[in-house]
Amino acid sequence: MGIVAGLDSAPDFTRIVVCDTDTGAVLRQGYAPHPVEGAESGSRPSDVDPQAWLLSLGEAAGGGLLEGVQAIGVSAQQNAVVPLDSQGNTVRPAMVGGDKRAQVAAADLVDALGGREAWAQAVGSVPQAAQPVAKLRWLARTEPEAAQRTAVLLQAHDWLVWQLLGRPVRRTTDRGGASGTGYWSAATGGYRPDLVELALGHQVMLPEVIGPSDAAGTTPEGLLISAGTGETMAAAFGLGLGLGDAVVSLGASGSVMAVHPEALVDQTGMITSLADATGMHLPVVTTLNAVRTLRGAAEMLGLADLESLSDLAMKSTPGAHGLVLLPYLEGERTPSLPHTAGTLAGLRRESMKPEHLARAAFEGMLCGLADALDVMRGRGVEVRRVFLLGAAAELPAVQAAAPALFGAQVVVPQPADYAAIGAARQAAWALGVSQGALDPRTPPAWQGAAAQVLEPGEELAVGQAVRQQFVSVREQTHPGAFRS
């Protein structure tokens, strides 16, 4: 069938992979940072001119990278909103990322609809500051003129697809991207225009949600462009996740997502009910404390890096001689303890050694994520395999403890551009369907990610005992935290 490209426009850069349509093998790749001040240093701006995304796309595609490509898929950073006027011009720069400006706006919206439960029922998630719906409320309150001129709302991947197609009259998005907006319900598969009006103050045009294997259109040069999707959904698709698979992402904060056949409505607001890029659902639970727990422990122990912390932890034993660290250093979202602090319990003379504290930090972080996995399991989500992502997934102390604490096989994929690969796989699917070679319900079977596979094995009973030790300290310190 030939070759396809996947383009991932992340918060700081554009990455392009060119893949074999049949196997998914990466044949060529390109990269360029966004020409945005602070993009490389990590101090990301809250407002970005979307033209920066197009400029880096052009640079990443330089040198004939896309020669011979028949279709392109687009993945892009989630939560970025591009407000357009009735002529299709940007009203103001795109509002991107984890925008803390909109925290008050998010809380306002929760109250305006009648509480967290009302939002969970309406769209499967409770507004967070980063979500488009909260940014719209902020815009209406802070820049009323810009809000008034806004006639069309697009997300980053919608806008890029629209630009690649030559700005046609029809504007499209996919279920995955739409499900993160706060005004589209994964359960009903429909928009809630009333929630846009609640946030922005008036109705606007919203992009048409097309199917996972549908094409958004064809460029003037005849290139097929697939639906596109958000980075989370594209990465899940690039990894080849299916039913029974969960992903635990280890960043400063953590997230757990899993593939599930139906949308979950969660009144507590712990589960955000997203859609994936295949027609299934992608419930997500986030924790505020993952690798920041390890960094804090390393600093406390005077260690230079996480590798040294891992080496030290490996000198201890499972259970860290009774030391338990509840890792709620920034407060916590799962369980909902926004104003709490971390707790170190089980201090005895024999447990007061650096290696035991190091071990307790790893176990505390992983038990916090196991709690998040259990929130999913408690709602009927099957978890047979856990994909562990992030640089910390390579640490021996993480790999030694995770399978037994999670109670599942752990897969540590080799680092790769999974969001770009997922976008390419989507392009191959849309291309195959358009040529009559693929079923619109069945994505192309690409080779899975190269990975290390770790089994809980004989350690399972030990891991469950460590987990029980953590749970009893959590229950004593924060009784009923998971029953709220």
Side-chain angles (χ1 to χ4, degrees):
M1 275 164 71
I3 57 173
V4 290
L7 182 165
D8 177 37
S9 183
D12 301 329
F13 58 81
T14 300
R15 175 91 60 188
I16 302 176
V17 296
V18 176
C19 299
D20 178 280
T21 312
D22 295 322
T23 65
V26 176
L27 309 172
R28 310 192 281 267
Q29 41 196 322
Y31 166 89
H34 294 323
V36 171
E37 285 201 19
E40 288 294 286
S41 69
S43 60
R44 293 177 185 151
S46 299
D47 291 326
V48 172
D49 181 348
Q51 292 297 330
W53 308 333
L54 276 186
L55 289 167
S56 76
L57 191 168
E59 196 183 325
L65 184 78
L66 298 178
E67 218 168 284
V69 163
Q70 293 168 278
I72 296 177
V74 177
S75 145
Q77 60 178 303
Q78 277 153 252
N79 294 328
V81 193
V82 189
L84 304 178
D85 64 18
S86 51
Q87 269 72 54
N89 301 315
T90 48
V91 168
R92 69 178 312 285
M95 297 175 280
V96 300
D99 200 337
K100 292 195 171 150
R101 295 178 298 190
Q103 276 170 340
V104 174
D108 273 358
L109 281 173
V110 174
D111 292 343
L113 195 66
R116 301 166 71 83
E117 204 166 316
W119 278 96
Q121 292 286 359
V123 286
S125 64
V126 178
Q128 306 293 328
Q131 269 185 308
V133 74
K135 289 174 173 155
L136 297 181
R137 179 72 157 203
W138 176 87
L139 186 64
R141 292 279 182 274
T142 319
E143 301 177 12
E145 283 179 36
Q148 205 51 52
R149 284 173 44 224
T150 299
V152 182
L153 291 174
L154 297 179
Q155 291 183 86
H157 73 85
D158 311 336
W159 187 84
L160 284 164
V161 163
W162 184 58
Q163 295 290 334
L164 288 171
L165 291 172
R167 297 164 60 108
V169 173
R170 179 189 188 219
R171 299 178 185 94
T172 61
T173 190
D174 87 308
R175 296 168 67 256
S179 67
T181 57
Y183 44 81
W184 185 86
S185 162
T188 65
Y191 280 116
R192 288 288 303 264
D194 57 315
L195 299 183
V196 176
E197 190 166 350
L198 183 69
L200 191 63
H202 62 94
Q203 294 286 343
V204 292
M205 290 270 297
L206 297 167
E208 178 190 340
V209 180
I210 61 175
S213 61
D214 291 348
T218 308
T219 68
E221 301 76 36
L223 259 179
L224 184 130
I225 308 287
S226 62
T229 196
E231 270 189 320
T232 300
M233 298 79 191
F237 198 40
L239 281 165
L241 298 191
L243 288 174
D245 290 337
V247 172
V248 171
S249 290
L250 300 175
S253 51
S255 73
V256 175
M257 64 179 180
V259 180
H260 197 57
E262 59 205 31
L264 296 177
V265 173
D266 177 50
Q267 275 83 351
T268 66
M270 282 192 285
I271 299 175
T272 297
S273 199
L274 299 177
D276 78 348
T278 71
M280 300 280 258
H281 293 267
L282 207 59
V284 179
V285 177
T286 51
T287 70
L288 295 181
N289 302 280
V291 176
R292 65 164 46 95
T293 309
L294 304 183
R295 295 208 185 284
E299 278 178 38
M300 199 170 167
L301 292 166
L303 301 172
D305 51 39
L306 297 187
E307 287 69 25
S308 310
L309 185 72
S310 173
D311 293 345
L312 186 60
M314 294 299 278
K315 292 179 179 155
S316 178
T317 50
H321 273 249
L323 266 197
V324 174
L325 177 65
L326 299 183
Y328 308 147
L329 310 183
E330 299 278 315
E332 189 45 85
R333 198 176 146 190
T334 307
S336 181
L337 298 166
H339 308 299
T340 193
T343 305
L344 186 62
L347 285 168
R348 292 195 171 84
R349 181 62 196 90
E350 65 272 18
S351 64
M352 294 176 79
K353 290 187 176 163
E355 61 266 32
H356 302 325
L357 178 58
R359 179 87 190 193
F362 281 97
E363 290 179 347
M365 173 186 80
L366 292 169
C367 284
L369 290 159
D371 276 351
L373 271 170
D374 281 354
V375 168
M376 300 270 209
R377 286 179 170 128
R379 294 299 309 280
V381 177
E382 188 185 4
V383 180
R384 284 198 306 268
R385 290 195 298 180
V386 174
F387 285 73
L388 206 49
L389 302 186
E394 304 287 335
L395 296 171
V398 169
Q399 297 194 358
L405 291 178
F406 292 161
Q409 183 187 79
V410 168
V411 179
V412 184
Q414 278 179 7
D417 303 306
Y418 291 110
I421 291 166
R425 190 176 175 210
Q426 188 194 61
W429 193 7
L431 181 67
V433 168
S434 77
Q435 295 171 337
L438 287 177
D439 184 323
R441 290 159 309 199
T442 313
W446 279 11
Q447 58 204 19
Q452 262 177 294
V453 177
L454 312 166
E455 299 284 355
E458 292 166 10
E459 296 294 306
L460 189 58
V462 176
Q464 297 314 294
V466 173
R467 189 76 208 292
Q468 199 42 57
Q469 178 178 275
F470 177 90
V471 169
S472 49
V473 171
R474 189 194 68 221
E475 276 298 305
Q476 280 164 17
T477 317
H478 305 287
F482 276 106
R483 290 199 293 275
S484 58

